[in-house]
Amino acid sequence: MDEISPLLGNQPQEGSDLVSPNLRPRHQELIPTPCGPIKPWSELSYPVKLYFCFTIASLLALLGLTVSSIYKQHMDTDVSDEDNFTVSLIQLVGILFCIYYISRGVLQENRQELVVFVLSVLVVMVRSVVNFSVVGSKGKQEVLVRFVCIMCLGVFHVFCTTLLIQRPNMMAFRVSGALESLQEQYFLLNLCFSMVTFDLQAQLCLCILIATSDSAMSALNTIILGVGVVWACLTAAVGAVAVLKEAKVLVWVFMVQNLPQVAFFVYLMYTMVVKWYQDSTYTLEAATVTGALISLVIKAVLFWGLIRLVHSFGQGLRERMFSPSK
């Protein structure tokens, strides 16, 4: 017994106030931001850095092309270009959100953002395939180079982002430690924060569809639509603060703010279905109804996540995410 007694002296005493090393968060080297800690640039591998820079550059180039296309379509008063003008506006919003998605997805290892980025790229590719298939033989020669570039870049982005999604995710462990309850809360927090962002993008795109689908919109409907855009941005801000700051009161305020939006989506789908029987074209109307349904699904997932997240408030995750590490 005397031979092994020195080994026992190295063990921590039961009454020690020190936290077990396996339970401590490993985020001392992470950079704190208002949206949660992110990895420093030096921590990224060289291939990830290269892909991230290439993605941002390609998105900025596509943003410039989209702005130029919107300007040309706005100058052209041809009615046949209304659908293209609407899609270009939605694509402009999508590109801005994609820059945010890829940044947060890489620096925070957020898989939800990366998945939505892949879906956005696939939507652009499908749109390019449809446009290329319907133009005439003379028009195909003009858009052939752009079509080939979009398809090649799209396949490259989908492949590389899929590899990033499949990589091991250690951010939950590094931020919250080894406690499973805190890791689950960190996952729910990121899910809810991402859903708030997805909901804002869906509502902005929906407002674009409504504004462009009815060229004879009354002044009252225009005012309602403008208020709706401001309300959507305000609601998203309240939801983001409520999730990050673990403010239960703001969570309930956020849910109440969404009730008028849900009622408006139901009314919108009703009016668009009625309009189908009065109009000879259904493209924008179908897109509007689809957008409203997608928004309702996003809100359902968001409410489910928020209800589960509220029950885990106060366990110390907020302090680990935003308080300076010791």
Side-chain angles (χ1 to χ4, degrees):
M1 296 295 294
D2 294 335
E3 295 180 356
I4 63 174
S5 58
L7 298 178
L8 300 177
N10 296 330
Q11 295 182 354
Q13 297 180 0
E14 294 181 359
S16 176
D17 295 333
L18 295 176
V19 180
S20 173
N22 290 330
L23 301 180
R24 296 175 187 166
R26 267 70 170 177
H27 68 288
Q28 286 83 358
E29 67 277 11
L30 298 179
I31 302 174
T33 69
C35 298
I38 62 174
K39 295 193 294 185
W41 180 257
S42 58
E43 189 176 316
L44 300 178
S45 63
Y46 180 76
V48 174
K49 290 180 181 179
L50 185 63
Y51 172 66
F52 180 76
C53 294
F54 176 78
T55 303
I56 296 297
S58 61
L59 287 174
L60 291 177
L62 184 58
L63 180 65
L65 292 175
T66 304
V67 171
S68 175
S69 177
I70 290 175
Y71 177 76
K72 292 179 180 178
Q73 292 168 1
H74 181 68
M75 292 293 100
D76 190 359
T77 57
D78 190 359
V79 179
S80 63
D81 288 337
E82 286 184 358
D83 291 359
N84 289 331
F85 180 71
T86 302
V87 174
S88 296
L89 286 176
I90 294 177
Q91 181 173 300
L92 176 65
V93 174
I95 293 171
L96 295 176
F97 275 91
C98 279
I99 295 175
Y100 165 79
Y101 292 149
I102 193 63
S103 300
R104 191 162 183 258
V106 171
L107 298 178
Q108 285 192 329
E109 296 184 358
N110 193 310
R111 290 177 176 172
Q112 295 94 244
E113 315 282 358
L114 293 176
V115 169
V116 174
F117 175 74
V118 170
L119 294 177
S120 301
V121 173
L122 290 176
V123 169
V124 174
M125 294 174 64
V126 171
R127 183 209 171 193
S128 298
V129 171
V130 173
N131 287 348
F132 187 75
S133 60
V134 298
V135 298
S137 57
K138 179 184 291 186
K140 284 186 177 181
Q141 297 178 357
E142 299 177 357
V143 301
L144 179 61
V145 176
R146 185 178 64 179
F147 172 74
V148 173
C149 291
I150 290 177
M151 296 305 295
C152 293
L153 288 175
V155 172
F156 177 76
H157 283 311
V158 170
F159 176 76
C160 293
T161 309
T162 303
L163 293 180
L164 289 177
I165 295 173
Q166 295 176 349
R167 295 179 63 187
N169 190 333
M170 296 297 295
M171 285 295 289
F173 175 74
R174 295 177 65 182
V175 173
S176 57
L179 292 175
E180 292 185 2
S181 59
L182 287 181
Q183 290 188 19
E184 181 181 0
Q185 183 184 353
Y186 181 76
F187 170 77
L188 287 174
L189 184 147
N190 275 320
L191 176 64
C192 293
F193 191 85
S194 298
M195 286 297 165
V196 169
T197 309
F198 302 159
D199 185 46
L200 177 61
Q201 181 183 2
Q203 291 186 64
L204 292 179
C205 293
L206 193 60
C207 289
I208 293 174
L209 284 171
I210 297 172
T212 55
S213 62
D214 188 3
S215 58
M217 182 180 296
S218 63
L220 178 60
N221 289 336
T222 303
I223 294 175
I224 294 176
L225 190 62
V227 173
V229 173
V230 177
W231 185 263
C233 296
L234 178 62
T235 303
V238 172
V241 174
V243 169
L244 294 174
K245 300 302 181 181
E246 297 187 358
K248 291 185 179 181
V249 176
L250 289 181
V251 170
W252 300 120
V253 170
F254 173 74
M255 288 188 173
V256 172
Q257 284 180 305
N258 278 273
L259 295 180
Q261 296 176 351
V262 174
F264 177 72
F265 290 156
V266 175
Y267 170 76
L268 176 65
M269 287 187 290
Y270 169 77
T271 55
M272 286 299 173
V273 170
V274 172
K275 190 177 180 181
W276 279 352
Y277 297 98
Q278 303 174 354
D279 201 348
S280 58
T281 59
Y282 312 105
T283 304
L284 294 180
E285 288 81 359
T288 304
V289 172
T290 303
L293 290 174
I294 292 175
S295 296
L296 290 176
V297 172
I298 292 175
K299 288 185 181 298
V301 176
L302 177 57
F303 286 176
W304 170 83
L306 280 176
I307 293 174
R308 293 193 58 186
L309 182 62
V310 167
H311 293 297
S312 61
F313 280 175
Q315 296 186 15
L317 179 62
R318 180 172 64 88
E319 290 75 14
R320 296 193 178 198
M321 289 180 61
F322 299 105
S323 297
S325 303
K326 295 181 180 181

